Amino acid sequence: MGTTKLNIHDTDNNYLAKVAKVFSHPARVAIIKYISACNSGCICNDLVEEIGLAQPTISQHLSEIKKIGLLNQSAHGKSLSYSINTEKLNACRRLINDFFVKTQVSASR
Amino acid sequence: MGTTKLNIHDTDNNYLAKVAKVFSHPARVAIIKYISACNSGCICNDLVEEIGLAQPTISQHLSEIKKIGLLNQSAHGKSLSYSINTEKLNACRRLINDFFVKTQVSASR
DNA sequence: GAGTAATATTGTAATATTGCGATGTTAAAA
DNA sequence: TTTTAACATCGCAATATTACAATATTACTC
């Protein structure tokens, strides 16, 4: 008990849920917004200052976001530069939008 | 500890996260799909049979979905008929899509 | 009214998530 | 090569989530 029963659901539903989970925490939403707003390049743990969470916490959230491939990472000196993987973000957008389209089309019949 | 620090985030981010959380479990995704596919009306705990979870669990997930106003409910005899609140679903769709638009526009600059 | 079907609520066990201090790791700087 | 800055990882405490059995509730049926 306590664990989500992934096996009883189909792959599509599991994946959509997995993607949605990334966006289901305000800190991760804020992180993604911040990184995407940081034009032309390097960010790092300005995030720690910008968002009011400890460095390990931010790092943890970043790795959640990375898990679905939403971030590009490049070493820049001793600091890291993150940027949004735009294709992946688009893929997520399409995935979620398709879900809404489906649930809406059939609902309006 | 253990609790999300809602106070350090702005209302928009908190709300987006709250909405995304509803879609962050495969059972809830399945429930929403199923209800939306059930044209013209009444469903109930066919859900219990369709999705392989116990009745209290389904009931619990339904109430999570209801919390953000995504379901219309109407008593029909001793059973309940759920349907999607289409306006609300649209609102969610727009909310999420706006987020993607914002993060993408600035990312592509 | 007693029985029953459909759902909600309660209580609880198992597990996951959030957050952070302490500690590792890595690479530039001194 | 020691120091330091920027992260990542580990370990743990607090809380949340998932799932279900047991039990309530509600409204029809007999």
Side-chain angles (χ1 to χ4, degrees), chain A residues 55-71:
Chain A
Q55 178 266 321
T57 309
I58 295 290
S59 189
Q60 208 172 240
H61 282 304
L62 280 170
S63 88
E64 293 296 317
I65 303 171
K66 273 187 251 175
K67 265 182 198 161
I68 61 161
L70 227 51
L71 292 182

Side-chain angles (χ1 to χ4, degrees), chain B residues 3-14:
Chain B
T3 324
T4 295
K5 287 182 151 183
L6 293 170
N7 55 304
I8 65 169
H9 304 289
D10 60 43
T11 312
D12 286 355
N13 290 356
N14 284 333

Side-chain angles (χ1 to χ4, degrees), chain A residues 93 96-97 99-101 103-104, chain B residues 15-23 32 64-71 84-100:
Chain A
R93 183 189 182 179
I96 293 172
N97 197 60
F99 167 78
F100 279 116
V101 170
T103 50
Q104 221 134 48
Chain B
Y15 185 65
L16 178 56
K18 190 178 170 185
V19 167
K21 186 170 271 177
V22 172
F23 302 101
I32 293 169
E64 293 296 318
I65 302 171
K66 273 186 252 175
K67 265 182 199 162
I68 60 161
L70 226 50
L71 292 182
I84 301 291
N85 180 332
T86 313
E87 290 94 78
K88 197 72 188 185
L89 192 74
N90 259 313
C92 291
R93 184 189 182 179
R94 263 180 267 116
L95 184 76
I96 293 173
N97 196 60
D98 284 358
F99 167 77
F100 279 116

Side-chain angles (χ1 to χ4, degrees), chain A residues 87-101:
Chain A
E87 291 94 77
K88 197 71 190 184
L89 192 75
N90 260 311
C92 291
R93 183 189 182 179
R94 265 180 267 118
L95 183 78
I96 293 172
N97 197 60
D98 284 359
F99 167 78
F100 279 116
V101 170

Side-chain angles (χ1 to χ4, degrees), chain B residues 1 5 7 20 24 33 49 59-60 70 75 83 86 96:
Chain B
M1 248 183 277
K5 287 182 151 183
N7 55 304
S24 76
K33 277 188 183 176
E49 301 216 336
S59 189
Q60 207 171 240
L70 226 50
S83 66
T86 313
I96 293 173

Side-chain angles (χ1 to χ4, degrees), chain A residues 1-12:
Chain A
M1 246 184 276
T3 323
T4 295
K5 286 182 152 184
L6 292 170
N7 54 304
I8 67 169
H9 304 290
D10 59 43
T11 312
D12 286 355

Side-chain angles (χ1 to χ4, degrees), chain B residues 1-5 44-45 55-56 59 66 78-80 82:
Chain B
M1 248 183 277
T3 324
T4 295
K5 287 182 151 183
C44 47
N45 275 22
Q55 179 266 322
S59 189
K66 273 186 252 175
K78 55 193 162 194
S79 59
L80 284 177
Y82 293 108

